[in-house]
Amino acid sequence: MKKIIQPPYLNRGDKVALISPAYWVPEEAILQAAEVIRSWGLQPVIGPHTTSLNVDAYAGTAEERAADLLWALEDDSIKAIFCSRGGYGSIHLLDRIPMEDYRCHPKWLMGHGDITTLLYTVAGAGVMSIHGPMAFQIAGGQEPATTIARNILFGTLPQYKIAGNAYNRSGHAEGILVGGNLSSYVTITGTKYHHLPSQDIILFVEEVEESLHAIDRLFYTLRLQLDFERVKGIIFGTFSSIKFDLQFGSVEQMLIAHLHDLDIPVCCGFPVGSNSCLPLIEGVPCSLDVTPEKAVLTFEIKGSTQPYDIEKDSPKLIKADDQKKD
């Protein structure tokens, strides 16, 4: 069994890289994020091509974006890598980064959305990463995601508690946590970049700006590509700006109906997605406990633990009920 590597936690004074593996963001957002990161006691270093612009969309050519990621990985003075934005384009980097580089230089890589492609590849290499806020959100002060992400980087792990949901399924599950943006995740599941350790899995997915029938197709594709006998629990995150072209009251209602053959716990409405990205650690052993009243997610790795009640501590975060069809 491939051992999953936990990157070292950060210390004050450590260097961290800001790079743009996918879409371009304005330089102002990068500089603002750098100021926030500097206030954490870290030294932000901006990648050479981070603010480049290619074909009016990407942050430089594929070669330039890959070069920045390789630089951040292989420079051992850099202890973590923050992605500036998702969008699209991370897939261009996969065959330009040797898989062994992730294991030879284990460090925290953080992002979400299209960055799911990289996070899944890192998990496939056997290294943990953080599905969390990106530079433009750090610059904008997105809370509580930014503070929780900072705490994780320094070794304080949240134990998330979320209120019950009508679509939840009760039970207890243990496994390594993997997932992210559904369309980005499906893209590389089953490819040579998908070599997850042969352990049980707790899967989490979220999506934005898709139709119900597209989400249905993506999820079924995932079921065909991923060994679901290893999936011991599922977390459904936020599904925002969804086109309701099928007669379901919510995305959760549709997906739960398609899980009738699986006797596993399911947590619905977890605030992880484009609008409310509470950080989750990819590739980490964890436990999921779901009851009618609540769901609790616990990370089972070295570090201190801080309970975090999502309902009490994040009253303004998007809830599953807010995403139902009008």
Side-chain angles (χ1 to χ4, degrees):
M1 181 185 299
K2 183 191 297 182
K3 181 181 178 181
I4 303 174
I5 299 173
Q6 179 183 344
Y9 292 126
L10 303 186
N11 296 300
R12 292 183 65 85
D14 281 347
K15 289 182 182 178
V16 298
L18 285 165
I19 64 168
S20 299
Y23 273 1
W24 171 88
V25 292
E27 183 178 14
E28 180 183 0
I30 298 293
L31 295 177
Q32 289 175 350
E35 282 302 308
V36 174
I37 293 167
R38 195 171 289 115
S39 74
W40 298 352
L42 301 171
Q43 299 182 52
V45 184
I46 298 172
H49 305 100
T50 299
T51 58
S52 299
L53 179 61
N54 175 250
V55 297
D56 203 32
Y58 305 121
T61 65
E63 290 77 14
E64 290 172 337
R65 287 177 279 132
D68 279 8
L69 178 52
L70 273 172
W71 155 75
L73 276 173
E74 295 179 349
D75 185 339
D76 290 334
S77 71
I78 291 174
K79 304 303 181 183
I81 305 170
F82 295 2
C83 298
S84 68
R85 183 185 172 186
Y88 175 71
S90 297
I91 196 169
H92 300 157
L93 279 57
L94 297 191
D95 61 357
R96 293 175 166 87
I97 309 293
M99 288 283 284
E100 59 268 20
D101 270 27
Y102 298 115
R103 286 188 70 86
C104 292
H105 307 277
K107 57 190 69 176
W108 295 108
L109 173 69
M110 186 165 70
H112 69 273
D114 182 69
I115 305 301
T116 294
T117 304
L118 294 178
L119 301 180
Y120 198 17
T121 303
V122 172
V127 180
M128 297 177 196
S129 58
I130 300 175
H131 183 279
M134 293 181 282
F136 80 97
Q137 292 160 324
I138 294 172
Q142 186 182 91
E143 293 293 359
T146 295
T147 295
I148 295 175
R150 179 199 65 193
N151 291 345
I152 292 173
L153 289 165
F154 283 99
T156 299
L157 311 176
Q159 180 189 57
Y160 290 121
K161 175 183 174 183
I162 180 172
N165 184 289
Y167 297 117
N168 278 2
R169 286 186 176 178
S170 298
H172 171 81
E174 297 178 4
I176 61 170
L177 186 66
V178 293
N181 176 259
L182 182 58
S183 55
S184 300
Y185 190 75
V186 167
T187 300
I188 63 170
T189 304
T191 71
K192 65 181 180 180
Y193 300 102
H194 167 223
H195 292 292
L196 294 175
S198 56
Q199 296 177 237
D200 292 339
I201 291 169
I202 294 178
L203 174 70
F204 75 95
V205 295
E206 57 84 15
E207 193 52 85
V208 60
E209 296 179 352
E210 289 285 359
S211 64
L212 279 187
H213 87 268
I215 293 172
D216 180 81
R217 181 177 64 247
L218 287 166
F219 195 76
Y220 263 96
T221 301
L222 183 61
R223 289 207 60 175
L224 293 171
Q225 293 175 335
L226 187 65
D227 180 6
F228 259 71
E229 289 187 359
R230 293 169 55 196
V231 177
K232 303 304 179 182
I234 295 178
I235 297 171
F236 288 130
T238 61
F239 297 91
S240 53
S241 302
I242 302 302
K243 178 183 178 183
F244 281 79
D245 56 351
L246 296 174
Q247 292 303 307
F248 289 96
S250 68
V251 178
E252 293 85 357
Q253 182 187 32
M254 179 182 72
L255 294 179
I256 285 291
H258 297 329
L259 295 175
H260 62 88
D261 60 321
L262 299 178
D263 184 20
I264 58 175
V266 180
C267 169
C268 294
F270 193 95
V272 58
S274 63
N275 293 335
S276 51
C277 193
L278 287 193
L280 295 175
I281 306 174
E282 295 260 10
V284 65
C286 66
S287 62
L288 175 67
D289 291 280
V290 183
T291 69
E293 294 78 26
K294 66 180 184 298
V296 177
L297 178 66
T298 305
F299 302 118
E300 309 287 354
I301 54 172
K302 177 181 65 177
S304 61
T305 299
Q306 181 176 21
Y308 193 87
D309 188 320
I310 292 171
E311 285 296 304
K312 293 180 180 178
D313 299 334
S314 309
K316 296 182 180 179
L317 290 179
I318 292 177
K319 304 174 185 177
D321 287 345
D322 295 330
Q323 301 150 34
K324 291 183 179 180
K325 182 180 178 182
D326 294 333

